[in-house]
Amino acid sequence: MKQYRYIKSNAFTSGASTGNPAASIFVDEGCLSPEQMLQIAAEHKGFVMETVFCSHSETAACKLTYYSSECEVDFCGHGTIATMYSFVKDDDSFRNTKVLSVETNKKGVISVYNEIDTEDAVYIEAPSPIEHVMNIPIDDIERILTLRKGSIDREGRAIRIIDAGLRTLIVPVSCFEDEVSVYPDVTSLKTFCEGNDIDIILIYSFQVADTSNFAHTRVFAPRFGYLEDPATGSGNSAFANYLLSEKMWDGTPITIEQGGNDRIFNAVKLKTFNGKVLFGGKATTKIQGRYFV
C-alpha cells in the first residue's frame, strides 16, 4: 500500500465564507492510472467538488490533473487555487518564487503568480478564451434555469458561450433577487448542458450585496455531478473575458462575489496582466495528512 500527501482545503474563502472545497493529492508521475484517479474522485463525491492530482513535471514546477466524481475535468480553477496555494506556501523552495509555470493535463502550461505575502492569495493565468456560437433560445434558457419570465436582460447585455478552461454559457440577469434565489433541477439542467455541449452555466447581476464588489455570479455545473459550484475560477475567467470584450471592465483588479442565497458569498479576485486574465484567491486548509492507495 502506498501513501501520498493529502490536503482538503476550501478555495476562494473570504471572511466567514466557506469557499469551494477541493482535495489535493500529491503523487508520483504515472503512479495512478486514470481509472484509479476517477475511483478516488468518486469516493470524494459529496465531500469536495473536485480532486486534483499534483505530480512531477519535466517542463514545469508541477503537473495538475483534475477529476470530478464522474469524469476527468479539462480545467478546475478552484482546485488550482487550493492546490497551488498549499504548494507555494508550504514548500520552502517555491515560497519566494513570484511566478511558477504549471503543466495541466488538458490545457497546457499556465502561470501561477505568488501574491501570498502581499494579498494572502495566488493568482492563476486563465487559459486563452475561445468563443462558441450561441444559438439557444432565450426562453429555453429561462425555463431550464427556472428564472422568472423576463428575468434575463434582453436589451443591453449579450448571452455568450466562452471557454476559458470550461465551456461556459454566460447569462445576464437583471434583478439580484432573481439571480440569487433560483435552484434549477439538476437532472434537467444536466440534460440541457449535455444537449448543447455546455460545461457550466454562469448567471450574473451587477446588483451586489457588498458594494465594494464588481458583480455577483452563480455557476451551475450538473455535468460534473453537482448542481452548483460555490466559487469558480474557470467560470469567472470566462466572465472576465466577456466583460473585457463587452467593454464593461478595463482589466484593473476587481472582486466578484459568488453564491446563492443559501450561503455567505465567496470572493473571486480578477485582474489582467500582460493581456491575460488572472483569477485569484486564498485557500483555507481543513484536513491534511496521508492518503493510502
Side-chain angles (χ1 to χ4, degrees):
M1 181 174 287
K2 293 186 176 181
Q3 56 180 292
Y4 304 101
R5 181 183 174 212
Y6 177 89
I7 297 175
K8 186 267 186 183
S9 56
N10 294 354
F12 299 121
T13 48
S14 176
S17 76
T18 56
N20 194 356
S24 304
I25 302 177
F26 298 81
V27 300
D28 303 321
E29 176 66 17
C31 69
L32 296 176
S33 68
E35 293 76 17
Q36 286 176 306
M37 288 189 280
L38 179 57
Q39 178 61 36
I40 291 168
E43 291 170 356
H44 280 74
K45 184 177 178 66
F47 183 58
V48 301
M49 297 301 188
E50 267 83 20
T51 301
V52 184
F53 298 89
C54 181
S55 59
H56 172 74
S57 170
E58 295 291 340
T59 59
C62 62
K63 179 180 179 180
L64 303 182
T65 304
Y66 312 98
Y67 276 84
S68 76
S69 62
E70 298 196 356
C71 60
E72 184 175 358
V73 180
D74 286 356
F75 184 75
C76 176
H78 86 274
T80 306
I81 290 286
T83 303
M84 295 313 300
Y85 185 88
S86 296
F87 187 92
V88 172
K89 192 167 187 176
D90 298 341
D91 192 323
D92 290 339
S93 61
F94 293 110
R95 184 67 179 81
N96 295 317
T97 303
K98 297 306 293 180
V99 185
L100 291 80
S101 292
V102 173
E103 180 185 0
T104 66
N105 197 41
K106 296 284 191 179
K107 291 292 184 178
V109 176
I110 59 173
S111 295
V112 175
Y113 296 83
N114 174 9
E115 299 291 350
I116 290 175
D117 288 339
T118 56
E119 299 184 44
D120 193 23
V122 292
Y123 281 85
I124 313 299
E125 177 187 279
S128 297
I130 301 170
E131 183 91 22
H132 296 275
V133 175
M134 209 306 289
N135 53 15
I136 307 168
I138 295 178
D139 288 345
D140 288 356
I141 298 172
E142 271 184 344
R143 175 185 53 78
I144 202 65
L145 289 173
T146 65
L147 283 164
R148 178 177 55 83
K149 188 170 179 59
S151 296
I152 293 177
D153 187 338
R154 286 167 162 79
E155 302 298 329
R157 292 180 268 162
I159 300 173
R160 293 169 60 184
I161 299 174
I162 298 175
D163 186 335
L166 293 174
R167 191 172 297 200
T168 306
L169 174 65
I170 301 172
V171 181
V173 179
S174 300
C175 175
F176 176 80
E177 290 303 323
D178 287 336
E179 192 249 2
V180 298
S181 62
V182 294
Y183 292 91
D185 176 73
V186 64
T187 302
S188 300
L189 197 62
K190 181 178 181 180
T191 301
F192 172 85
C193 289
E194 290 174 342
N196 290 283
D197 197 16
I198 295 165
D199 291 321
I200 58 178
I201 300 174
L202 179 144
I203 63 175
Y204 77 91
S205 173
F206 285 128
Q207 297 177 10
V208 292
D210 182 342
T211 55
S212 67
N213 295 326
F214 185 86
H216 189 103
T217 63
R218 294 179 68 192
V219 173
F220 300 109
R223 293 189 79 169
F224 302 123
Y226 49 87
L227 174 62
E228 184 166 2
D229 206 353
T232 318
S234 54
N236 281 302
S237 296
F239 183 50
N241 282 286
Y242 169 96
L243 293 171
L244 288 168
S245 61
E246 295 284 333
K247 302 190 185 309
M248 297 175 178
W249 174 49
D250 62 3
T252 55
I254 57 174
T255 299
I256 304 297
E257 60 183 36
Q258 183 177 339
N261 59 8
D262 61 343
R263 68 185 67 244
I264 298 171
F265 301 140
N266 296 305
V268 179
K269 299 173 183 289
L270 297 173
K271 62 182 179 181
T272 57
F273 181 71
N274 289 338
K276 292 279 192 177
V277 166
L278 308 183
F279 64 90
K282 64 174 289 187
T284 302
T285 299
K286 293 297 184 179
I287 299 171
Q288 56 182 330
R290 312 298 292 177
Y291 195 89
F292 292 84
V293 178

Coordinates of all heavy atoms in Angstrom, one line a residue, residues 37-106:
M37 N -7.6 7.2 -10.5 CA -7.9 8.6 -10.1 C -9.4 8.9 -10.1 O -9.9 9.6 -9.2 CB -7.1 9.6 -11.1 CG -5.6 9.6 -10.9 SD -4.8 10.9 -11.8 CE -4.6 10.1 -13.4
L38 N -10.1 8.4 -11.1 CA -11.5 8.5 -11.1 C -12.2 7.8 -9.9 O -13.1 8.4 -9.3 CB -12.1 7.9 -12.4 CG -13.6 8.0 -12.6 CD1 -14.1 9.5 -12.4 CD2 -14.1 7.4 -13.9
Q39 N -11.7 6.7 -9.5 CA -12.2 6.0 -8.4 C -12.0 6.8 -7.1 O -12.9 6.9 -6.3 CB -11.5 4.6 -8.2 CG -12.0 3.8 -7.0 CD -13.5 3.5 -7.0 OE1 -14.1 3.2 -8.1 NE2 -14.1 3.5 -5.9
I40 N -10.8 7.3 -7.0 CA -10.5 8.2 -5.8 C -11.5 9.4 -5.8 O -12.0 9.8 -4.7 CB -9.1 8.6 -5.8 CG1 -8.2 7.4 -5.5 CG2 -8.8 9.7 -4.7 CD1 -6.7 7.7 -5.8
A41 N -11.6 10.0 -6.9 CA -12.5 11.2 -7.0 C -14.0 10.8 -6.7 O -14.7 11.6 -6.0 CB -12.4 11.8 -8.4
A42 N -14.4 9.6 -7.2 CA -15.8 9.2 -7.0 C -16.0 9.0 -5.5 O -17.1 9.2 -5.0 CB -16.0 7.9 -7.7
E43 N -15.0 8.5 -4.8 CA -15.1 8.3 -3.3 C -15.2 9.6 -2.6 O -15.6 9.7 -1.4 CB -13.9 7.5 -2.8 CG -13.8 6.1 -3.3 CD -12.5 5.4 -3.0 OE1 -11.6 6.1 -2.5 OE2 -12.4 4.2 -3.3
H44 N -14.8 10.7 -3.2 CA -14.9 12.1 -2.6 C -16.3 12.8 -2.9 O -16.5 13.9 -2.5 CB -13.8 13.0 -3.1 CG -12.5 12.7 -2.4 ND1 -11.7 11.6 -2.6 CD2 -11.8 13.4 -1.4 CE1 -10.6 11.7 -1.9 NE2 -10.7 12.7 -1.1
K45 N -17.1 12.1 -3.6 CA -18.4 12.7 -4.0 C -19.2 13.2 -2.8 O -19.3 12.4 -1.8 CB -19.3 11.7 -4.8 CG -20.6 12.3 -5.3 CD -21.4 11.3 -6.1 CE -22.7 11.8 -6.6 NZ -22.6 12.9 -7.5
G46 N -19.6 14.4 -2.8 CA -20.3 15.0 -1.6 C -19.4 15.6 -0.6 O -19.9 16.3 0.3
F47 N -18.1 15.4 -0.7 CA -17.1 15.9 0.2 C -16.4 17.0 -0.3 O -16.1 18.0 0.4 CB -16.2 14.8 0.6 CG -15.2 15.1 1.7 CD1 -15.6 15.6 2.9 CD2 -13.8 15.0 1.4 CE1 -14.6 15.9 3.9 CE2 -12.9 15.3 2.4 CZ -13.3 15.8 3.6
V48 N -16.0 16.9 -1.6 CA -15.3 18.0 -2.3 C -16.0 18.1 -3.7 O -16.6 17.2 -4.2 CB -13.8 17.9 -2.5 CG1 -13.2 17.8 -1.1 CG2 -13.5 16.6 -3.3
M49 N -15.8 19.2 -4.4 CA -16.3 19.4 -5.8 C -15.4 18.7 -6.8 O -15.8 18.0 -7.7 CB -16.4 20.9 -6.1 CG -17.4 21.6 -5.2 SD -19.1 20.9 -5.4 CE -20.1 22.1 -4.5
E50 N -14.1 18.9 -6.6 CA -13.1 18.2 -7.5 C -11.9 17.7 -6.7 O -11.6 18.2 -5.6 CB -12.6 19.1 -8.6 CG -13.4 19.1 -9.9 CD -14.6 19.9 -9.9 OE1 -14.7 20.8 -9.0 OE2 -15.5 19.7 -10.7
T51 N -11.2 16.7 -7.2 CA -10.0 16.2 -6.7 C -8.9 16.5 -7.7 O -9.0 16.2 -8.9 CB -10.1 14.6 -6.5 OG1 -11.2 14.4 -5.6 CG2 -8.8 14.1 -5.9
V52 N -7.8 17.0 -7.2 CA -6.7 17.4 -8.0 C -5.5 16.6 -7.7 O -5.1 16.4 -6.5 CB -6.3 18.9 -7.8 CG1 -5.2 19.3 -8.7 CG2 -7.5 19.8 -8.0
F53 N -4.9 16.0 -8.7 CA -3.7 15.1 -8.5 C -2.5 16.0 -9.0 O -2.4 16.4 -10.2 CB -3.8 13.8 -9.3 CG -5.0 13.0 -8.8 CD1 -6.2 13.1 -9.4 CD2 -4.8 12.1 -7.8 CE1 -7.3 12.4 -8.9 CE2 -5.8 11.3 -7.4 CZ -7.1 11.4 -7.9
C54 N -1.6 16.2 -8.1 CA -0.4 17.1 -8.3 C 0.8 16.2 -8.4 O 1.1 15.5 -7.4 CB -0.3 18.1 -7.2 SG 1.1 19.2 -7.4
S55 N 1.5 16.2 -9.6 CA 2.6 15.3 -9.8 C 3.8 16.0 -10.4 O 3.7 17.2 -10.7 CB 2.2 14.1 -10.7 OG 1.8 14.6 -12.0
H56 N 4.9 15.3 -10.5 CA 6.1 15.9 -11.1 C 5.9 16.2 -12.6 O 5.2 15.5 -13.3 CB 7.3 14.9 -10.9 CG 8.5 15.3 -11.7 ND1 9.3 16.3 -11.2 CD2 9.1 14.9 -12.8 CE1 10.3 16.5 -12.0 NE2 10.2 15.6 -13.0
S57 N 6.5 17.3 -13.0 CA 6.5 17.6 -14.4 C 8.0 17.8 -14.9 O 8.8 18.4 -14.2 CB 5.7 18.9 -14.6 OG 5.9 19.4 -16.0
E58 N 8.2 17.4 -16.2 CA 9.5 17.6 -16.8 C 9.7 19.0 -17.3 O 10.8 19.5 -17.5 CB 9.7 16.6 -17.9 CG 9.8 15.2 -17.5 CD 11.0 14.8 -16.7 OE1 12.0 15.6 -16.8 OE2 11.0 13.8 -16.0
T59 N 8.6 19.8 -17.4 CA 8.7 21.1 -18.1 C 8.2 22.2 -17.2 O 8.3 23.4 -17.6 CB 7.8 21.1 -19.4 OG1 6.4 20.8 -19.0 CG2 8.3 20.1 -20.4
A60 N 7.7 21.9 -16.0 CA 7.1 23.0 -15.1 C 7.3 22.6 -13.7 O 7.9 21.6 -13.4 CB 5.6 23.1 -15.4
A61 N 6.9 23.5 -12.8 CA 7.0 23.2 -11.3 C 6.3 22.0 -10.9 O 6.7 21.3 -10.0 CB 6.6 24.4 -10.5
C62 N 5.2 21.7 -11.5 CA 4.4 20.5 -11.2 C 3.3 20.3 -12.3 O 3.2 21.1 -13.2 CB 3.7 20.6 -9.9 SG 2.5 22.0 -9.8
K63 N 2.6 19.2 -12.3 CA 1.6 18.9 -13.2 C 0.3 18.6 -12.5 O 0.3 17.9 -11.5 CB 2.0 17.6 -14.1 CG 0.9 17.2 -15.1 CD 1.3 16.0 -15.9 CE 0.2 15.6 -16.9 NZ 0.6 14.4 -17.6
L64 N -0.8 19.2 -13.0 CA -2.1 19.0 -12.3 C -3.1 18.3 -13.2 O -3.2 18.6 -14.4 CB -2.7 20.4 -12.0 CG -1.9 21.3 -11.1 CD1 -2.7 22.6 -10.8 CD2 -1.5 20.6 -9.8
T65 N -3.8 17.3 -12.7 CA -4.8 16.6 -13.4 C -6.1 16.6 -12.5 O -6.0 16.4 -11.3 CB -4.4 15.1 -13.6 OG1 -3.1 15.1 -14.3 CG2 -5.4 14.3 -14.4
Y66 N -7.2 16.9 -13.1 CA -8.4 17.3 -12.4 C -9.5 16.2 -12.6 O -9.7 15.8 -13.8 CB -9.0 18.6 -12.8 CG -8.0 19.7 -12.9 CD1 -7.4 20.1 -14.1 CD2 -7.6 20.5 -11.8 CE1 -6.5 21.1 -14.2 CE2 -6.8 21.5 -11.9 CZ -6.2 21.9 -13.1 OH -5.3 22.9 -13.2
Y67 N -10.2 15.8 -11.6 CA -11.3 14.9 -11.7 C -12.5 15.3 -10.8 O -12.3 15.7 -9.6 CB -10.9 13.5 -11.2 CG -10.2 12.6 -12.3 CD1 -8.9 12.8 -12.5 CD2 -11.0 11.8 -13.1 CE1 -8.2 12.0 -13.5 CE2 -10.3 11.0 -14.1 CZ -9.0 11.2 -14.3 OH -8.4 10.5 -15.3
S68 N -13.7 15.3 -11.4 CA -14.9 15.4 -10.6 C -15.2 13.9 -10.2 O -14.5 13.0 -10.5 CB -16.0 16.0 -11.4 OG -16.6 15.1 -12.3
S69 N -16.3 13.7 -9.5 CA -16.7 12.4 -9.1 C -17.2 11.6 -10.3 O -17.4 10.3 -10.2 CB -17.9 12.5 -8.1 OG -19.0 13.1 -8.6
E70 N -17.4 12.2 -11.5 CA -17.9 11.5 -12.6 C -17.0 11.4 -13.8 O -17.2 10.5 -14.7 CB -19.2 12.2 -13.1 CG -20.3 12.1 -12.0 CD -21.7 12.4 -12.5 OE1 -21.8 12.7 -13.7 OE2 -22.7 12.3 -11.7
C71 N -16.0 12.3 -13.9 CA -15.1 12.3 -15.1 C -13.9 13.1 -14.9 O -13.8 13.9 -13.9 CB -15.9 12.8 -16.3 SG -16.5 14.5 -16.1
E72 N -12.9 13.0 -15.8 CA -11.8 13.9 -15.8 C -12.3 15.3 -16.3 O -13.2 15.4 -17.2 CB -10.7 13.5 -16.7 CG -9.5 14.4 -16.7 CD -8.3 13.9 -17.4 OE1 -8.3 12.8 -18.0 OE2 -7.3 14.7 -17.5
V73 N -11.8 16.4 -15.7 CA -12.3 17.7 -16.0 C -11.1 18.4 -16.7 O -9.9 18.3 -16.3 CB -12.6 18.5 -14.7 CG1 -13.1 19.9 -15.0 CG2 -13.7 17.7 -13.9
D74 N -11.4 19.1 -17.8 CA -10.4 19.8 -18.5 C -9.6 20.8 -17.7 O -8.3 20.9 -17.8 CB -11.0 20.6 -19.7 CG -11.4 19.6 -20.8 OD1 -11.2 18.4 -20.7 OD2 -12.0 20.1 -21.8
F75 N -10.3 21.5 -16.9 CA -9.6 22.6 -16.0 C -10.5 22.9 -14.8 O -11.7 22.9 -14.9 CB -9.4 23.8 -16.8 CG -8.6 24.9 -16.1 CD1 -7.2 24.8 -15.9 CD2 -9.2 26.0 -15.6 CE1 -6.5 25.8 -15.3 CE2 -8.5 27.0 -14.9 CZ -7.2 26.9 -14.8
C76 N -9.9 23.1 -13.7 CA -10.6 23.4 -12.5 C -9.9 24.5 -11.8 O -8.8 24.4 -11.2 CB -10.7 22.1 -11.5 SG -11.5 22.4 -10.0
G77 N -10.6 25.7 -11.8 CA -10.0 26.9 -11.2 C -9.8 26.8 -9.7 O -8.8 27.1 -9.2
H78 N -10.9 26.5 -9.0 CA -10.8 26.5 -7.6 C -9.8 25.4 -7.1 O -9.1 25.5 -6.1 CB -12.2 26.3 -6.9 CG -12.7 24.9 -6.7 ND1 -13.3 24.2 -7.7 CD2 -12.6 24.1 -5.7 CE1 -13.6 23.0 -7.3 NE2 -13.2 22.9 -6.0
G79 N -9.8 24.2 -7.8 CA -8.8 23.2 -7.5 C -7.4 23.7 -7.7 O -6.5 23.3 -6.9
T80 N -7.2 24.5 -8.7 CA -5.8 25.0 -8.9 C -5.5 26.0 -7.8 O -4.3 26.0 -7.3 CB -5.8 25.7 -10.3 OG1 -6.2 24.8 -11.3 CG2 -4.4 26.2 -10.6
I81 N -6.4 26.9 -7.4 CA -6.1 27.8 -6.3 C -5.8 27.0 -5.1 O -4.8 27.3 -4.4 CB -7.4 28.7 -6.1 CG1 -7.6 29.7 -7.2 CG2 -7.2 29.4 -4.7 CD1 -6.6 30.8 -7.3
A82 N -6.6 26.0 -4.7 CA -6.4 25.2 -3.5 C -5.1 24.5 -3.5 O -4.3 24.6 -2.5 CB -7.6 24.2 -3.3
T83 N -4.7 23.9 -4.6 CA -3.5 23.1 -4.7 C -2.3 24.0 -4.7 O -1.3 23.8 -4.0 CB -3.5 22.2 -5.9 OG1 -4.7 21.4 -5.9 CG2 -2.3 21.3 -6.0
M84 N -2.3 25.1 -5.5 CA -1.1 25.9 -5.7 C -0.9 26.8 -4.5 O 0.2 27.1 -4.1 CB -1.2 26.7 -7.0 CG -1.2 25.9 -8.2 SD 0.1 24.6 -8.2 CE 1.6 25.6 -8.1
Y85 N -2.0 27.2 -3.8 CA -1.8 27.9 -2.5 C -1.0 27.1 -1.5 O 0.0 27.6 -0.9 CB -3.2 28.3 -2.0 CG -3.1 29.2 -0.8 CD1 -3.1 30.6 -0.9 CD2 -3.1 28.7 0.5 CE1 -3.0 31.4 0.2 CE2 -3.1 29.5 1.7 CZ -3.0 30.9 1.5 OH -3.0 31.7 2.6
S86 N -1.3 25.9 -1.4 CA -0.6 25.0 -0.5 C 0.8 24.7 -1.0 O 1.8 24.7 -0.3 CB -1.3 23.7 -0.3 OG -2.6 23.9 0.4
F87 N 0.9 24.4 -2.3 CA 2.2 24.1 -2.9 C 3.2 25.2 -2.7 O 4.3 25.0 -2.3 CB 1.9 23.9 -4.4 CG 3.1 23.4 -5.2 CD1 3.3 22.0 -5.4 CD2 4.0 24.3 -5.8 CE1 4.4 21.6 -6.1 CE2 5.1 23.8 -6.5 CZ 5.3 22.4 -6.7
V88 N 2.8 26.5 -2.9 CA 3.7 27.6 -2.8 C 3.9 27.9 -1.3 O 5.1 28.1 -0.9 CB 3.1 28.8 -3.5 CG1 3.9 30.1 -3.2 CG2 3.0 28.6 -5.0
K89 N 2.9 27.9 -0.5 CA 3.0 28.4 0.9 C 3.8 27.4 1.7 O 4.6 27.8 2.6 CB 1.7 28.6 1.5 CG 1.7 29.3 2.8 CD 0.3 29.8 3.3 CE 0.4 30.7 4.5 NZ -0.9 31.3 4.9
D90 N 3.7 26.1 1.4 CA 4.3 25.1 2.3 C 5.7 24.6 1.8 O 6.3 23.8 2.6 CB 3.3 23.9 2.4 CG 2.0 24.2 3.0 OD1 2.0 25.3 3.7 OD2 1.0 23.5 2.8
D91 N 6.1 25.0 0.6 CA 7.3 24.4 0.1 C 8.4 25.6 0.1 O 8.2 26.5 -0.7 CB 7.1 23.9 -1.3 CG 8.3 23.1 -1.9 OD1 9.4 23.5 -1.6 OD2 8.1 22.1 -2.6
D92 N 9.4 25.4 0.9 CA 10.4 26.5 1.0 C 11.1 26.8 -0.3 O 11.5 27.9 -0.5 CB 11.4 26.1 2.1 CG 10.9 26.1 3.5 OD1 9.8 26.8 3.7 OD2 11.5 25.5 4.4
S93 N 11.2 25.8 -1.2 CA 11.9 26.0 -2.4 C 11.1 26.9 -3.4 O 11.7 27.4 -4.4 CB 12.2 24.7 -3.1 OG 11.0 24.0 -3.4
F94 N 9.8 27.0 -3.2 CA 8.9 27.9 -4.0 C 8.3 29.1 -3.3 O 7.7 29.9 -3.9 CB 7.8 27.1 -4.6 CG 8.2 26.0 -5.6 CD1 8.2 24.7 -5.2 CD2 8.8 26.3 -6.8 CE1 8.6 23.7 -6.1 CE2 9.2 25.4 -7.7 CZ 9.1 24.0 -7.4
R95 N 8.5 29.1 -2.0 CA 7.9 30.2 -1.1 C 8.2 31.6 -1.6 O 7.3 32.5 -1.6 CB 8.3 30.0 0.3 CG 7.6 31.0 1.3 CD 6.1 30.6 1.4 NE 5.4 31.5 2.3 CZ 5.0 32.7 2.0 NH1 5.2 33.2 0.7 NH2 4.4 33.5 2.8
N96 N 9.4 31.8 -2.1 CA 9.8 33.2 -2.5 C 9.8 33.3 -4.1 O 10.3 34.3 -4.6 CB 11.1 33.6 -1.9 CG 11.1 33.7 -0.4 OD1 10.1 34.2 0.1 ND2 12.1 33.1 0.3
T97 N 9.3 32.3 -4.8 CA 9.2 32.4 -6.2 C 8.0 33.1 -6.6 O 6.9 32.8 -6.2 CB 9.2 31.0 -6.8 OG1 10.4 30.2 -6.4 CG2 9.2 31.0 -8.3
K98 N 8.1 34.2 -7.4 CA 7.0 35.0 -7.7 C 6.1 34.4 -8.8 O 4.9 34.6 -8.8 CB 7.5 36.4 -8.2 CG 8.2 37.2 -7.1 CD 7.4 37.3 -5.8 CE 6.2 38.1 -5.9 NZ 5.4 38.2 -4.6
V99 N 6.7 33.8 -9.8 CA 5.9 33.2 -10.9 C 6.3 31.8 -11.2 O 7.5 31.5 -11.3 CB 6.1 34.0 -12.2 CG1 5.2 33.4 -13.3 CG2 5.8 35.5 -12.0
L100 N 5.4 30.8 -11.2 CA 5.7 29.4 -11.4 C 4.9 29.0 -12.7 O 3.8 29.4 -12.9 CB 5.2 28.5 -10.3 CG 5.9 28.6 -8.9 CD1 5.4 29.8 -8.1 CD2 5.6 27.3 -8.2
S101 N 5.6 28.1 -13.5 CA 4.9 27.5 -14.6 C 4.3 26.2 -14.1 O 5.0 25.4 -13.4 CB 5.9 27.2 -15.7 OG 6.3 28.5 -16.3
V102 N 3.1 25.9 -14.5 CA 2.4 24.7 -14.1 C 1.8 24.0 -15.3 O 1.1 24.7 -16.1 CB 1.3 25.1 -13.1 CG1 0.4 23.8 -12.7 CG2 1.9 25.6 -11.8
E103 N 2.1 22.8 -15.4 CA 1.5 22.0 -16.5 C 0.2 21.4 -16.1 O 0.0 20.9 -15.0 CB 2.5 20.8 -16.9 CG 2.0 19.9 -18.0 CD 2.9 18.7 -18.2 OE1 3.9 18.6 -17.5 OE2 2.6 17.9 -19.1
T104 N -0.8 21.6 -17.0 CA -2.1 20.9 -16.8 C -2.3 19.8 -17.8 O -1.8 19.8 -18.9 CB -3.3 21.9 -16.9 OG1 -3.4 22.4 -18.3 CG2 -3.1 23.1 -16.0
N105 N -3.0 18.8 -17.4 CA -3.2 17.6 -18.3 C -3.9 17.9 -19.6 O -3.6 17.2 -20.6 CB -3.9 16.5 -17.5 CG -3.7 15.1 -18.2 OD1 -2.6 14.8 -18.6 ND2 -4.7 14.3 -18.3
K106 N -4.8 18.8 -19.6 CA -5.6 19.1 -20.8 C -5.4 20.5 -21.4 O -5.7 20.7 -22.6 CB -7.1 18.9 -20.4 CG -7.5 17.5 -20.0 CD -7.7 16.6 -21.2 CE -8.3 15.3 -20.8 NZ -8.5 14.4 -21.9

